[in-house]
Amino acid sequence: MDEESLKISLIRNNGDDEFAGDSPPIEGWRGLVQASWKESKKLWYLAGPAIFTSLCQYSINAITQTFTGHIGDIELAAFSITNSVIAGLSYGVMLGMGSALETLCGQAFGAKQLKMLGVYMQRSSVILLVTACLMSSIYVWSEQILKLIGEEDEIAELAGKLSLWVLPQLFAYAMVFPLAKFLQAQSKVLVMAVIAGGALIVHVIFSWLLIFKWGCGLWGAALMVDISWWMIVLAQMAYILSGTCKEAWGGFTWAAFRNLGAFLRLSLASGVMLCLECWYLNLLILLAGYLSNPKIAVDAISICMNLMGWELMISLGFNTAISVRVSNELGAGHPRAAKFAVYTVLATMLMIGAILMVVIFITRNEFAVAFTNSEEVMKAVSKLAPLLAFTMLLNSIQPVFGGVAVGAGWQALVAYINLASYYIFGVPLGCFLGYYFDFGVKGIWAGMICGTTLQTIILCFVTFKTKWNRESSQAIEKIKAWAERT
């Protein structure tokens, strides 16, 4: 490994250590507007295709849930539990552990150490596939697990059977996230968008045929979920192996099996951080199952969660974009550029969140029609709309801080913040309001919103107090250390 290629000279400027080649200071309003426009174009170049990709991938499950809602209330509840609790658990683990690759690949790409990307990607795939094998027992025993935690027997039994049908999706998750992070670090987001869009089109057509025309019902829905996710995996793999990533992909190597312990520790820290976030809102559906009328409560909260999921895909697009921007700039030794990218994406997402909040308020009595034929469920959803609208605003900026954390490599710190804000504060408060004061779903949700608000405030404080020069210096040292281990 050429050590000189990893060194970036420092210069003294007005008493601060700045990295050579960093963006110049912004002067005046005109300079601010020009810099914001330039940075916005970079962010949207990454975020646009990433949002489309996330929306398409999310829609595979979300549209299937919409279809199952027209089969029957019990089918909707079973699919919601399977999708949000069982598959949601897997999604959180795989996405979280895969974000370790996002940090390393992004910073290595910024430092021009392209040959390390392929090694990192294979190493992450090995770890995630082993993790998937271990997690498969959750799918096998899902019925017993759901009954043990108090879910209604009828829902738990159907969800348990459905979980076995969607088991292949777990192994697709284990492959798709390493492949995606590898491509994202190189800004190859357009091809990912094309692949995801194609998979969604196939999924919608054949899901409709299997569920409604060919009478396969819930089992046809599960089968198409599996097929669609594996289509994405195979297409991304074919693209990488076709020679389009020559510098970053050097072929399969035994180096992927070296230093797995160190990589696993970073992956676990990343997994805990993301899992605590992914599971948090999914707990809403689980806790709603303990209320007096669980079918209506679960269906209503599932519809709201479905809409939140659509918005979260937009946020995750910018999460990806800011993670790539921050990791690339820190790896390249540009702390000022990384800092300005954070400010730009926060302003953008606040505007998007405000627009979505207004849309939810305006359509609060109508949007549930797309998901259910039940008048009772529609009324329950309408009552939850104000909380949904506020959550839309909050969720527009909260994932951005997660992207900054991944780009900078703060996963362990954020894991502690999430644990305290969500599970020590938010969940107990939600249960207290929902059960003790008998506010039902509204109380549970309101308490959990308070937890998200606390987490966002803390991450905001951490981000704006960050010494970006120091973060860039540490990123370069980390790249050197990881390269030497390989």
Side-chain angles (χ1 to χ4, degrees):
M1 183 62 60
D2 184 7
E3 184 174 332
E4 292 300 319
S5 66
L6 291 172
K7 292 181 179 178
I8 298 178
S9 61
L10 296 174
I11 62 173
R12 183 72 62 180
N13 183 17
N14 296 328
D16 293 323
D17 286 331
E18 297 289 348
F19 285 90
D22 198 1
S23 58
I26 298 171
E27 297 180 356
W29 283 103
R30 179 173 293 181
L32 178 61
V33 171
Q34 290 176 345
S36 298
W37 175 248
K38 184 178 180 180
E39 181 60 38
S40 292
K41 288 193 294 183
K42 293 179 181 178
L43 286 168
W44 275 103
Y45 175 79
L46 294 168
I51 290 170
F52 181 79
T53 301
S54 297
L55 284 171
C56 289
Q57 291 180 351
Y58 177 78
S59 297
I60 289 174
N61 291 62
I63 289 176
T64 304
Q65 182 170 316
T66 302
F67 285 166
T68 59
H70 293 281
I71 299 174
D73 289 347
I74 186 63
E75 286 80 6
L76 174 60
F79 188 88
S80 298
I81 290 291
T82 303
N83 188 42
S84 299
V85 179
I86 306 300
L89 168 67
S90 303
Y91 185 92
V93 170
M94 297 303 169
L95 175 62
M97 294 183 72
S99 73
L101 187 65
E102 195 168 345
T103 302
L104 293 172
C105 282
Q107 293 182 356
F109 184 82
K112 309 302 181 186
Q113 299 299 310
L114 299 183
K115 65 180 182 180
M116 299 305 303
L117 272 65
V119 178
Y120 292 154
M121 186 264 285
Q122 293 175 68
R123 197 171 290 169
S124 180
S125 298
V126 170
I127 291 174
L128 264 63
L129 283 171
V130 172
T131 303
C133 290
L134 296 175
M135 292 190 66
S136 61
S137 60
I138 297 175
Y139 284 69
V140 174
W141 298 100
S142 58
E143 178 183 338
Q144 290 77 8
I145 292 171
L146 291 172
K147 287 182 178 180
L148 183 64
I149 60 179
E151 280 299 327
E152 190 178 79
D153 285 353
E154 189 178 8
I155 297 176
E157 288 170 6
L158 187 56
K161 294 176 183 177
L162 188 61
S163 295
L164 295 176
W165 279 78
V166 297
L167 181 58
Q169 184 187 39
L170 168 64
F171 291 90
Y173 286 160
M175 291 297 297
V176 78
F177 290 121
L179 295 170
K181 303 308 179 185
F182 173 82
L183 293 171
Q184 286 170 5
Q186 303 168 72
S187 299
K188 295 183 180 294
V189 288
L190 286 174
V191 66
M192 294 174 61
V194 172
I195 290 171
L200 178 61
I201 292 171
V202 172
H203 178 79
V204 171
I205 293 173
F206 281 92
S207 291
W208 181 77
L209 289 172
L210 281 170
I211 295 171
F212 299 114
K213 290 296 182 182
W214 298 339
C216 297
L218 202 57
W219 317 117
L223 178 63
M224 277 311 303
V225 166
D226 295 335
I227 292 173
S228 299
W229 274 99
W230 272 103
M231 283 177 57
I232 295 173
V233 171
L234 295 175
Q236 289 183 350
M237 189 178 296
Y239 177 79
I240 293 170
L241 296 177
S242 68
T244 54
C245 306
K246 290 181 180 179
E247 292 184 84
W249 175 253
F252 295 100
T253 172
W254 286 107
F257 296 92
R258 298 174 192 160
N259 299 305
L260 287 175
F263 205 99
L264 178 61
R265 287 192 292 272
L266 181 60
S267 297
L268 288 174
S270 302
V272 171
M273 184 195 91
L274 267 295
C275 285
L276 291 176
E277 291 188 9
C278 291
W279 298 341
Y280 186 55
L281 286 177
N282 286 336
L283 275 175
L284 271 172
I285 293 180
L286 195 61
L287 294 173
Y290 300 142
L291 296 173
S292 57
N293 192 346
K295 289 182 183 178
I296 299 301
V298 169
D299 286 352
I301 202 67
S302 296
I303 290 170
C304 291
M305 285 285 292
N306 199 311
L307 287 176
M308 280 193 291
W310 290 92
E311 188 227 13
L312 278 172
M313 294 306 105
I314 299 175
S315 299
L316 285 176
F318 279 95
N319 173 291
T320 297
I322 194 59
S323 176
V324 171
R325 291 289 297 126
V326 168
S327 61
N328 284 179
E329 297 295 355
L330 291 180
H334 302 157
R336 191 187 292 119
K339 181 179 180 180
F340 189 72
V342 174
Y343 293 159
T344 304
V345 76
L346 282 174
T348 302
M349 285 308 301
L350 272 173
M351 288 189 291
I352 293 174
I355 292 171
L356 292 174
M357 180 177 67
V358 171
V359 170
I360 291 297
F361 268 120
I362 293 174
T363 63
R364 61 186 180 274
N365 295 320
E366 290 82 25
F367 64 77
V369 176
F371 299 90
T372 182
N373 298 321
S374 171
E375 290 289 338
E376 194 174 1
V377 173
M378 291 181 195
K379 290 178 181 178
V381 171
S382 180
K383 292 178 182 178
L384 293 175
L387 285 173
L388 174 61
F390 180 76
T391 305
M392 288 283 195
L393 178 63
L394 191 60
N395 283 350
S396 66
I397 58 172
Q398 186 271 339
V400 172
F401 289 114
V404 175
V406 170
W410 301 340
Q411 287 96 325
L413 171 64
V414 179
Y416 287 115
I417 294 172
N418 289 349
L419 179 63
S421 301
Y422 291 161
Y423 297 93
I424 296 178
F425 177 68
V427 172
L429 179 61
C431 292
F432 191 64
L433 293 174
Y435 300 128
Y436 185 79
F437 285 104
D438 202 25
F439 290 150
V441 174
K442 286 185 177 180
I444 297 171
W445 196 346
M448 295 176 74
I449 286 176
C450 291
T452 305
T453 303
L454 176 62
Q455 184 250 22
T456 303
I457 291 172
I458 295 173
L459 286 182
C460 183
F461 178 81
V462 170
T463 300
F464 288 112
K465 286 292 183 179
T466 294
K467 303 293 184 183
W468 291 99
N469 294 342
R470 183 179 62 190
E471 291 296 328
S472 188
S473 178
Q474 290 176 349
I476 293 168
E477 291 301 318
K478 288 177 183 177
I479 295 167
K480 178 181 176 181
W482 278 99
E484 288 175 347
R485 290 175 189 171
T486 305

